[in-house]
Amino acid sequence: MSKLHRIPDGPTAAELDAIEVEWPLIAAELDVLDAEITIINAADHGGPTALDWRRLRRAEALVTRTAAELATRTTVRKAVA
């Protein structure tokens, strides 16, 4: 079998490191998704509450802050490397 068709055994160490660095952003985005699902499901139970909307806004704000922090860390790391 040629090298072009070889299936990797799993993620490389560099790929795992990249995931670890981005994990706070991934977790924050999952929080947004969870809040959105709660709002969708609330439609069957009288609609979302003010607390549901607040949870979504807070989760979205966390994504923004986390992405900005990650961008700053990545920029600094690339500049040093």
Side-chain angles (χ1 to χ4, degrees), residues 1 8 15-16 23 35 39 43 50 56-57 73:
M1 186 182 295
E15 291 168 334
L16 290 173
W23 187 253
I39 287 172
L56 178 60
R57 287 191 309 272
R73 280 191 283 149

Side-chain angles (χ1 to χ4, degrees), residues 14-58:
E15 291 168 334
L16 290 173
D17 288 343
I19 292 169
E20 186 175 336
V21 168
E22 292 182 21
W23 187 253
L25 180 58
I26 294 167
E29 290 172 337
L30 288 171
D31 288 345
V32 169
L33 179 61
D34 190 45
E36 290 172 338
I37 290 169
T38 298
I39 287 172
I40 291 168
N41 287 333
D44 295 335
H45 305 287
T49 66
L51 186 58
D52 293 332
W53 289 112
R54 180 176 182 208
R55 180 175 174 224
L56 178 60
R57 287 191 309 272
R58 290 182 69 164

